[in-house]
Amino acid sequence: MASTKAPQPLEHGAIPWLLAVALVTAAPHASHLPLWLTLFVGGALLWRSWLWRQQARLPARWLLMLVVFAGVAGIGWEFRTLFGRDAGVALIVFFMALKPMEMRTRRDSMVVVMLGFFLLLTHYFYLQSIPTGLWLLAATTLLTATLIRLYGGAQPLGAIVHYAGLLLAQALPFMLIIFLLFPRVTGPLWGLPQDAYSGLTGLSDRMSPGSLNKLIQSGAIAFRVQFAGELPPKSNLYWRGPVFDDYDGMTWRALPRGDRAGSPPVVEARGKTYSYVSTLEAHNQRWLLALDLPTRQPEGSVLARSLETLSREPVRSRARYAFTSAPDFIANRQESPALLQQALRLPPRLNPRSRELAASWRATFNSPQQISDAALRLFRQEAFFYTLQPPLLGEHAVDDFLFATRRGFCEHYASAYVVLMRAADIPARVVAGYQGGEINPIDGYLTVRQSDAHAWAEIWLADRGWVRVDPTAAVAPSRIEEGIEAALPADDPLPALVRIDTDWLRDLRNRWEAANNSWNQWVLGYNPQRQRELLSRLGLDEPDWRSMTSALAMLCAIALLFVTVWTFWQRTTTTPAQRAWQRFCTRIKRLGITRADWEGPLAFAARVAREQPQLAALCHEAASIFADLHYGNGTPEQLQQLKNCTRRLPSSWRHTS
């Protein structure tokens, strides 16, 4: 009857390494886990550390089973499911905290290490920044060092970390080859619809008073732009997003795409055009935020009837788009009657005072341009205030704003202006997007943040088409020329990144954002298009998965050959005495005694004497001879004696208990 080998018990000194693995791989998830689960994980790891120090017994299995059922039920209740990104990560973190509670054998420790490797991957579900990459590199080194400690025994900390770093350095060529040649996929790392894009921020397909205020308080980057030549004047930096045609008295909404069907728009550039590449952050909408107004769109996009540049699918991952735009343009001299009729609609019986004011302008002035000028003159000359903290508005929102509160943000002014124009029989609509941006002097990119979100208006004039009108510029011209921080009062809430006025802090921010941009462009932005461009430069025209797999296999083989040659070269640089000693250590390893890389010959002989006294004399003889040969003036006779020691080792051994 064949005997089964008993599981090898876990060495007591290896437990702190495994607890460190659990802590390092689970800790970054604390920012998006429920508080009770974070406290449980911390408490469980502290309790296991106390059990290790006291060398106390582990909890009973029935108790662990109860905790498992309670924890799984709690996660299910918290997330209303056990599937998906957030619930799945919570379960893995929960199991990582519990596994050390039943960790008795080396096999159990391997489960902890493998859980740690898998848990590292999940960090990229939430954040793919440079600090995340550095943290994961350090955690991978710790996991590799833990494996060395488990199977190499007690060693100096420096020796373990050095060996782990060497192993990772040897894997670096294979990592680079796989990164460059493995077929890329589009989309995020996690693809379940219920939570794949939760956490993406940006403009919405509707706008009401206060909707942009919340977006303005975010310093997150919306997109970066690299111009091929000189930049347009700051007053022309209008980045066009959604266009709002439908108004219910409080909220502006974009029309469904079917309501904008018709012939393509006609755009006539009247001045200088600008070519640029925009790196757009994911926002889960279709608009591409082109400089108003594009004359050339990227492949796979379309210029809609409302003059928005739309992609075929929502932008769900960071992407690069090439445009050419003309800030001075004439758009749609001939417009669809249905669209013009939509641009005149107002909800009945709302805002009577605004309607009365518009009717008086219509009776006084002879042209739509004069009526528009009258509205801007009202904002410029009356006591209106630009603020992120406006009072609440009632049912007649525009009347309340124009004749009572007179405090608002860009969406208040754009909305009121468009209502006045429509009441005066001038087709008008609201446009949302971003205005301005800041040049990063480190890399030359124009950075546009969520705090640059803006809303303006458009009116349609015969023979001039759609004309941009920005009522905010009449109230706070510094908003357009200098940026939002110059236009708002000091006590209005703005992100700290925007309020920075210290030179060294601003320089530090610019350098950090330039480094992040390089990371995004060359690492996270290495998409299928960039991969095809690289392979085309290497001679693989129109590469498919077959040619890419062949190239991947060939380069991996070359890298493996290089490592093999390097290993053999290392072996040839050893002395005959070192090779004889290595053969002795290899033979004795078959008897169950492994020499650690850091152990000297005499220290190894002393450990063998403690663990296997029957081999003490032979091992001490071999170690002494090698010490004389390697560190002293040994003779050829001693080298032969060392080889004889290897031959005298038994072929098998029954270990003492």
Side-chain angles (χ1 to χ4, degrees), residues 435-483:
Q435 199 284 324
E438 181 182 10
I439 285 290
N440 188 326
I442 305 301
D443 58 9
Y445 277 76
L446 180 78
T447 302
V448 181
R449 304 179 188 278
Q450 299 294 352
S451 56
D452 293 314
H454 192 52
W456 59 93
E458 283 184 333
I459 58 174
W460 188 84
L461 302 177
D463 295 328
R464 292 184 58 190
W466 289 102
V467 177
R468 180 174 64 236
V469 180
D470 191 350
T472 301
V475 181
S478 57
R479 164 65 183 90
I480 310 304
E481 297 295 337
E482 302 177 46

Side-chain angles (χ1 to χ4, degrees), residues 13 32 74 89 93 111 119 133 219 254 271 286 302 337 411 414 428 458 479 484 507 513 573 593 616 622 649 655:
H32 47 262
V89 170
V93 172
V111 175
L119 200 54
R286 293 181 57 210
V302 63
E411 66 262 38
E458 283 184 333
R479 164 65 183 90
I484 188 170
D507 181 69
E513 290 185 346
T573 59
I593 306 173
L649 283 171
H655 301 291

